[in-house]
Amino acid sequence: MTTTQGTPDRGPDDVHASEHGGIASNPSQSGPTAAGDMSADSEDADQALQSESIDPQDSDGLAHGLGLLTRGALSGHDTNDDDMGHSAQHAEMPHDTISFPAFDFARVYAVPEDLMPAPPRIPDPEEATGTQKADTTPKASDIALSVKAAETVERLRQPAKYGDSQAMLASADLYTLGIGVRKNLSTAYDLYRRAADLNNTDAQNALGIMMFRGEGTDQDKRRAAELFRTAAQAGNACAQANLGLLYDGGEGVERDSQAAAEWFAKAADQGVAVAELGLGTLLFNGRAGRQDLGLAAEYFERAARQGNAIAQFKIGIMKYSGIGVVRDLEGAVAWFVESAHQGLPHGETALGRAFYEGRGIKRDFRKAGYWFWEAAQQDFAIAQGALGDMYRLGHGVSKDMTQAASWYAKAAEHGDTDAQFHLAVLYERGTGVEQDYAQAVDLYQEAAAHGDGRAQTNLGMMYAFGEGVERDYDLAFDWFASAAELDDPKAQTNLGVFYEQGMGVEKNLDNARVLYEEAAKHNDPTALWRLGIMYVRGKGVEQDYEKGADLLAKASSAGEFHAMMRLADLYDQGLGVPQDDQMANVLREAAVYESTKRLSR
């Protein structure tokens, strides 16, 4: 997949979909418009309603004499469809995000607490000004700690040499962390192995972690599982948690959710956060023999209180969305803050979402963009897409479609369906990137294959109009049908058009009406317009001018200029509405304005 060039800047909300609803003609004329074969109460009225047209297409959306659909006939998704006030679609964390594996090994270090390095902390935006240069001058306290670390290494050397497994374990930890000595994983591995041979279960657990990761030795997940099992059976809580992780993921052992739950439970009873997180995840997913969202939340909160960033994110999401617990927006945000400060991209993105939406915390687009950007630096696709959204909409940053396309490209490369869809829209329109129908089709196909109804609808449009692909009404119909099954109202409308016109399928006005009615429930303007015309004409339904006028009025209120022109005709003749020349002229002027605006997009 080709990606756009350019380096996204720090900063940040949402986009979705391409609209094929513009007209393929010059909307320069005002005045009466054709209403096709619209029935009237008299022959004169019928002739008047068919007098002139705003464009060289009839009211069915067919180019005269060609039997081809014009753009005004169908309904597609556009980047402007989803400007949802203040709700960034990409910032929405899907519920299944909460079930990602808790693959973060449990271990304890035999190193004095004051020698342990402080965990990294991502600063708040106010702290990350970038204007002050970091002070690299050694502090007396740092020098004292370095001396103490070196002394600790030396003090452990002799006991370790003569078979003290705890001294071996502590020395190995120092070499693993690079405290008081240069970091050396091979040396650490040898020390852990010697201590493990002396049945030191903490060493067996640490050795298992190194063998699983291939650190200081060749990777061997089966041997890692054996080491975890040996230590776990001897009662080592961290090893029990880690063995549970391997069973949960099917790594080094056959996947067995029940065995995972049992080992997690043993370790959770001893307060191991990783086990509490793992057991909570199994309970959330219903993979521990049952689903229990309330108990899952309890385990997540227990682990969160111990500082586990993943658990902090998960309990935050449950509270934010009210999943299995009472909704608590402020409580959720407090957990997102904790998780984000530890650098977990999920937590950073969730905090960005809270700032963006102004839920549980004061809305602040700048802070939302800051946290999205932090997560995006870790190649977290949802955050990258959210930045694309913010640049597209100009929320918190200047609107910049080139930057939007660049961020969407990054997210799309990581398989983000929303980003694939939005980038396809930009390629289709040539907005922020050079117009490329073939690239748009490729991206729509990727998103459509993952069940994105908007992409399926727009892909159907590409086939209907032969853009980037050969025109193929059969394939267009198939994609519209697929999206319609996902309740996409624009796809329902387009499928209705195909049934009404008999394109890619046998003509069936009943099916067309039913599909238009479904889409009209979602206020799709094209569906309202075409259904209104059916009632005005008595085409496939009993003729009803009042109902037709009502539907055309609703479509007109949504900016559908075809509906405005047809409604103007009704006002001219007083059909279904009071006769009103002034209203008819206002509607025609509005129609010319809307059609011109759409052509300029």
Side-chain angles (χ1 to χ4, degrees):
M1 181 179 68
T2 304
T3 60
T4 56
Q5 300 298 313
T7 302
D9 295 326
R10 175 183 291 270
D13 156 299
D14 173 44
V15 43
H16 280 24
S18 157
E19 176 162 336
H20 292 74
I23 59 171
S25 56
N26 180 10
S28 58
Q29 293 176 271
S30 60
T33 182
D37 59 358
M38 188 190 301
S39 299
D41 291 337
S42 68
E43 186 175 346
D44 291 339
D46 186 63
Q47 291 175 348
L49 289 172
Q50 299 183 55
S51 57
E52 284 188 72
S53 176
I54 193 171
D55 55 38
Q57 70 178 49
D58 68 18
S59 58
D60 284 332
L62 289 168
H64 284 303
L66 299 178
L68 299 176
L69 285 171
T70 59
R71 285 186 168 274
L74 299 182
S75 179
H77 292 279
D78 182 57
T79 54
N80 296 314
D81 291 348
D82 65 318
D83 186 351
M84 305 171 292
H86 300 297
S87 179
Q89 177 68 21
H90 270 102
E92 293 282 343
M93 302 294 289
H95 288 177
D96 60 3
T97 304
I98 206 169
S99 66
F100 69 93
F103 230 93
D104 182 13
F105 285 116
R107 69 179 302 169
V108 292
Y109 288 98
V111 174
E113 190 173 341
D114 61 344
L115 292 182
M116 289 293 292
R121 180 185 180 278
I122 306 301
D124 286 314
E126 297 84 355
E127 304 171 64
T129 60
T131 58
Q132 295 182 351
K133 197 170 183 180
D135 183 6
T136 57
T137 305
K139 297 182 176 64
S141 57
D142 294 333
I143 296 172
L145 279 176
S146 297
V147 170
K148 183 176 179 179
E151 290 174 346
T152 301
V153 171
E154 193 58 36
R155 177 171 52 80
L156 292 170
R157 195 180 306 278
Q158 285 298 105
K161 181 178 180 180
Y162 290 104
D164 185 329
S165 68
Q166 200 61 25
M168 294 175 190
L169 174 67
S171 297
D173 287 344
L174 293 172
Y175 277 105
T176 298
L177 299 170
I179 297 174
V181 291
R182 186 181 298 278
K183 185 173 181 176
N184 189 321
L185 295 180
S186 295
T187 299
Y189 173 80
D190 288 337
L191 286 163
Y192 284 137
R193 181 180 53 77
R194 288 170 56 198
D197 289 343
L198 295 172
N199 296 321
N200 185 304
T201 59
D202 285 332
Q204 291 167 344
N205 183 62
L207 190 63
I209 293 172
M210 295 193 79
M211 298 196 82
F212 184 92
R213 293 173 173 167
E215 295 176 343
T217 186
D218 294 334
Q219 187 177 58
D220 188 338
K221 294 182 179 180
R222 289 190 179 279
R223 177 60 180 146
E226 291 171 4
L227 285 161
F228 289 147
R229 187 183 306 281
T230 298
Q233 289 174 341
N236 186 287
C238 289
Q240 291 170 345
N242 294 339
L243 186 58
L245 287 174
L246 265 57
Y247 273 115
D248 187 25
E251 300 276 2
V253 292
E254 263 193 63
R255 189 172 190 182
D256 186 334
S257 296
Q258 193 57 46
E262 291 171 2
W263 284 113
F264 282 149
K266 290 177 185 293
D269 285 344
Q270 299 180 68
V272 178
V274 170
E276 293 166 340
L277 172 61
L279 188 54
T281 301
L282 290 177
L283 287 164
F284 185 92
N285 295 331
R287 288 178 45 229
R290 71 189 194 284
Q291 185 178 53
D292 189 330
L293 298 180
L295 188 55
E298 289 181 23
Y299 277 113
F300 288 153
E301 191 142 15
R302 281 170 54 177
R305 292 189 186 283
Q306 294 193 64
N308 186 287
I310 299 174
Q312 291 166 345
F313 161 73
K314 290 190 176 185
I315 188 60
I317 284 291
M318 293 187 78
K319 288 176 179 288
Y320 198 81
S321 304
I323 304 172
V325 296
V326 176
R327 182 176 299 224
D328 178 2
L329 295 177
E330 292 184 1
V333 170
W335 284 122
F336 292 155
V337 169
E338 293 294 325
S339 181
H341 281 157
Q342 294 195 61
L344 185 75
H346 303 73
E348 292 169 334
T349 301
L351 183 57
R353 172 192 176 189
F355 274 118
Y356 188 87
E357 295 180 337
R359 297 175 66 202
I361 199 167
K362 185 178 179 182
R363 176 178 292 136
D364 190 322
F365 287 153
R366 184 182 66 84
K367 290 181 180 178
Y370 171 85
W371 287 111
F372 288 152
W373 188 88
E374 287 288 346
Q377 302 315 297
Q378 300 183 59
D379 286 334
F380 194 58
I382 297 175
Q384 292 171 330
L387 287 174
D389 296 340
M390 297 192 80
Y391 276 110
R392 180 184 65 84
L393 296 174
H395 287 173
V397 293
S398 298
K399 184 179 286 192
D400 187 330
M401 295 309 240
T402 301
Q403 283 284 352
S406 180
W407 281 113
Y408 286 143
K410 290 178 181 293
E413 286 175 355
H414 291 102
D416 185 272
T417 301
D418 280 330
Q420 291 165 347
F421 171 76
H422 303 326
L423 188 58
V425 173
L426 298 182
Y427 272 113
E428 183 187 347
R429 289 193 169 275
T431 304
V433 291
E434 187 175 344
Q435 189 174 52
D436 188 333
Y437 286 142
Q439 182 76 321
V441 168
D442 287 345
L443 287 160
Y444 281 142
Q445 285 176 332
E446 287 186 51
H450 288 92
D452 189 300
R454 301 157 306 164
Q456 292 175 355
T457 296
N458 283 15
L459 187 56
M461 301 287 277
M462 303 296 276
Y463 277 107
F465 299 120
E467 294 174 340
V469 290
E470 286 191 25
R471 188 189 294 258
D472 188 326
Y473 287 141
D474 289 336
L475 279 175
F477 178 90
D478 289 343
W479 281 116
F480 291 149
S482 179
E485 288 180 2
L486 298 173
D487 294 326
D488 185 286
K490 295 185 181 299
Q492 292 166 340
T493 296
N494 297 342
L495 206 56
V497 173
F498 272 48
Y499 273 113
E500 183 184 355
Q501 303 295 339
M503 308 187 84
V505 68
E506 187 176 345
K507 188 172 185 177
N508 188 319
L509 295 181
D510 284 339
N511 284 354
R513 174 185 55 78
V514 169
L515 286 159
Y516 289 152
E517 287 173 345
E518 280 300 309
K521 291 176 183 176
H522 299 280
N523 296 314
D524 182 73
T526 305
L528 290 165
W529 155 51
R530 300 195 72 87
L531 187 59
I533 290 297
M534 290 183 80
Y535 276 102
V536 168
R537 294 177 179 174
K539 182 179 179 182
V541 295
E542 186 175 343
Q543 189 174 50
D544 187 332
Y545 286 121
E546 288 189 9
K547 189 166 186 176
D550 181 62
L551 289 163
L552 290 173
K554 289 179 180 177
S556 297
S557 296
E560 174 46 67
F561 62 88
H562 297 88
M564 295 174 187
M565 295 300 292
R566 276 44 178 182
L567 187 58
D569 293 336
L570 294 181
Y571 272 107
D572 271 336
Q573 302 303 316
L575 298 175
V577 291
Q579 197 281 331
D580 189 332
D581 291 337
Q582 184 176 357
M583 178 60 76
N585 288 333
V586 168
L587 283 165
R588 290 193 178 97
E589 289 176 6
V592 170
Y593 170 77
E594 288 294 335
S595 63
T596 303
K597 184 172 71 172
R598 188 171 298 182
L599 280 172
S600 68
R601 283 163 55 181

